[in-house]
Amino acid sequence: MLGLDPVEEAAYRRLVGLPSATSTELATALDLDVTVVRPALAALGTKGLVATSTAGSDQFVASPPMVALGSLVRERQDDINRARSELEALTEQYRGAAAQRTVTDVIDVVTGAEAVAQRFAQMQRSARTHVQGLIRSGVAVVSAAENVEEDLAAERGVSYQIVMEREALEAPGVFQNAQEAMTRGEQVRVAERLALRLIIVDRELALVPMAPAQEESRGPVGALLVHPSGLLDGLLALFDHCWASAHPLDTGATRAAELDGLDEVDLRVLQLLLSGLTDQAVGSQLGLSVRTVQRRVATLMGACDVHTRIQLGLQAERRGWLAPQTN
């Protein structure tokens, strides 16, 4: 809270609810050692958040929050305003320099797994409107589960458009993670094959793995950070093509499916099949045997009175079993 460490914050919050307290009483209330609480009280005193009571030098009272914290808030706001002004000035300088970049200046080389992961996080943290990505099978540097910046960016309204390679979707737990992302408003599509991994932020900056696709798991990790240029335009066009040619990942069933008697497992099997997964991959995602998956598919085909899986997909769409997709 406003630059306070955890012990300082806990001590101040506790004191706010008490007429006064000694360091020993406060330590007992917080279940902390008094040798930890006393330095925190001294720091709070220096910051004007507590004062000693007239009852004694070891009797402390909290300063009024509106007065004590109000000044800290104003100081923090002043710092933010100065940082914003500095950011705007630096951005203008950067744009001026960008306009004079040579061919070699439009690409920054990022080397090392830690540096690539840091840049990947920074790009999402700085996103204002859009993050677009191509995801191949395997893990380059950061897995979907470790990518906490994606959740934070989505929460603040950043739009995500992700194209996943079919093989990537087959990894255990990935389909569920993708569905959870879609409940937050992210758009996910599936492609049979993708030529490379890619992340684009606000259509202004792209990050591309340095190693060829077949060598991603070998050798040192590195990536190319691509600034506005003809190369970035080409990457944007590549993403747009992949997005247009991929098919949407199904988000779930509609009321029509429920009325036709399909249960949740039937629908998950159907969704995964229509996303291009094999029977074995569907079973892996749902914890079913291949034979059970095939039996479920046969039941669905029988319900639609069709003989092929292509016909099953057409009938599922016609009957309104699948949730409508957004573009």
Side-chain angles (χ1 to χ4, degrees):
M1 176 177 67
L2 297 175
L4 303 182
D5 69 27
V7 177
E8 293 171 2
E9 180 177 347
Y12 180 74
R13 286 183 180 276
R14 186 67 177 134
L15 272 177
V16 165
L18 297 172
S20 67
T22 66
S23 57
T24 301
E25 291 169 341
L26 196 57
T28 301
L30 296 174
D31 195 22
L32 295 172
D33 193 282
V34 70
T35 58
V36 175
V37 172
R38 281 176 181 155
L41 288 169
L44 289 171
T46 301
K47 296 172 182 176
L49 292 175
V50 302
T52 54
S53 169
T54 55
S57 60
D58 192 46
Q59 193 80 18
F60 296 89
V61 294
S63 301
M66 188 60 70
V67 175
L69 294 179
S71 62
L72 291 179
V73 170
R74 286 191 294 274
E75 290 175 6
R76 185 62 58 87
Q77 188 61 53
D78 289 341
D79 289 341
I80 292 173
N81 290 336
R82 283 192 293 270
R84 182 177 291 113
S85 297
E86 186 67 18
L87 174 61
E88 291 173 354
L90 289 172
T91 300
E92 285 304 314
Q93 293 179 28
Y94 180 84
R95 287 174 177 168
Q100 303 174 30
R101 290 187 175 203
T102 65
V103 173
T104 56
D105 291 331
V106 301
I107 299 175
D108 296 336
V109 179
V110 184
T111 57
E114 184 176 346
V116 174
Q118 182 182 52
R119 191 55 58 90
F120 180 61
Q122 288 174 338
M123 288 177 67
Q124 293 178 92
R125 207 175 297 140
S126 67
R128 302 186 305 276
T129 57
H130 291 85
V131 173
Q132 298 167 311
L134 303 179
I135 298 179
R136 302 184 71 252
S137 60
V139 176
V141 176
V142 179
S143 69
E146 296 170 329
N147 186 18
V148 296
E149 296 299 335
E150 179 178 342
D151 296 344
L152 296 174
E155 286 175 5
R156 69 172 188 270
V158 175
S159 171
Y160 271 75
Q161 291 181 312
I162 303 297
V163 181
M164 301 186 67
E165 195 172 61
R166 181 187 57 77
E167 188 176 345
L169 194 63
E170 294 179 358
V174 172
F175 182 79
Q176 182 178 349
N177 288 340
Q179 282 198 313
E180 291 173 357
M182 294 173 76
T183 64
R184 300 191 298 267
E186 298 186 30
Q187 299 179 61
V188 182
R189 295 188 176 185
V190 182
E192 184 64 23
R193 288 284 184 272
L194 292 174
L196 48 74
R197 300 180 191 273
L198 171 68
I199 178 175
I200 302 169
V201 171
D202 296 331
R203 310 279 289 184
E204 296 175 352
L205 201 62
L207 189 69
V208 188
M210 201 175 346
Q214 65 272 20
E215 298 178 10
E216 284 183 349
S217 60
R218 303 194 299 271
V221 176
L224 303 177
L225 187 66
V226 183
H227 298 273
S229 59
L231 177 57
L232 178 62
D233 292 342
L235 293 173
L236 293 174
L238 172 64
F239 174 83
D240 291 342
H241 172 75
C242 292
W243 180 258
S245 58
H247 60 271
L249 183 65
D250 276 300
T251 56
T254 62
R255 181 63 177 162
E258 297 173 0
L259 292 175
D260 283 346
L262 274 69
D263 64 24
E264 182 179 351
V265 177
D266 287 333
L267 293 169
R268 293 291 299 278
V269 168
L270 182 59
Q271 292 158 16
L272 290 168
L273 285 175
L274 295 182
S275 296
L277 272 66
T278 63
D279 290 352
Q280 184 173 357
V282 172
S284 175
Q285 290 286 339
L286 303 181
L288 305 174
S289 68
V290 174
R291 182 168 296 181
T292 299
V293 172
Q294 292 170 343
R295 186 168 61 249
R296 290 271 183 173
V297 174
T299 300
L300 289 168
M301 292 171 64
C304 293
D305 194 24
V306 297
H307 304 289
T308 69
R309 297 188 179 197
I310 294 177
Q311 291 174 321
L312 174 60
L314 293 173
Q315 282 296 321
E317 183 176 359
R318 289 172 182 171
R319 293 180 182 221
W321 285 355
L322 305 176
Q325 301 292 342
T326 55
N327 293 325

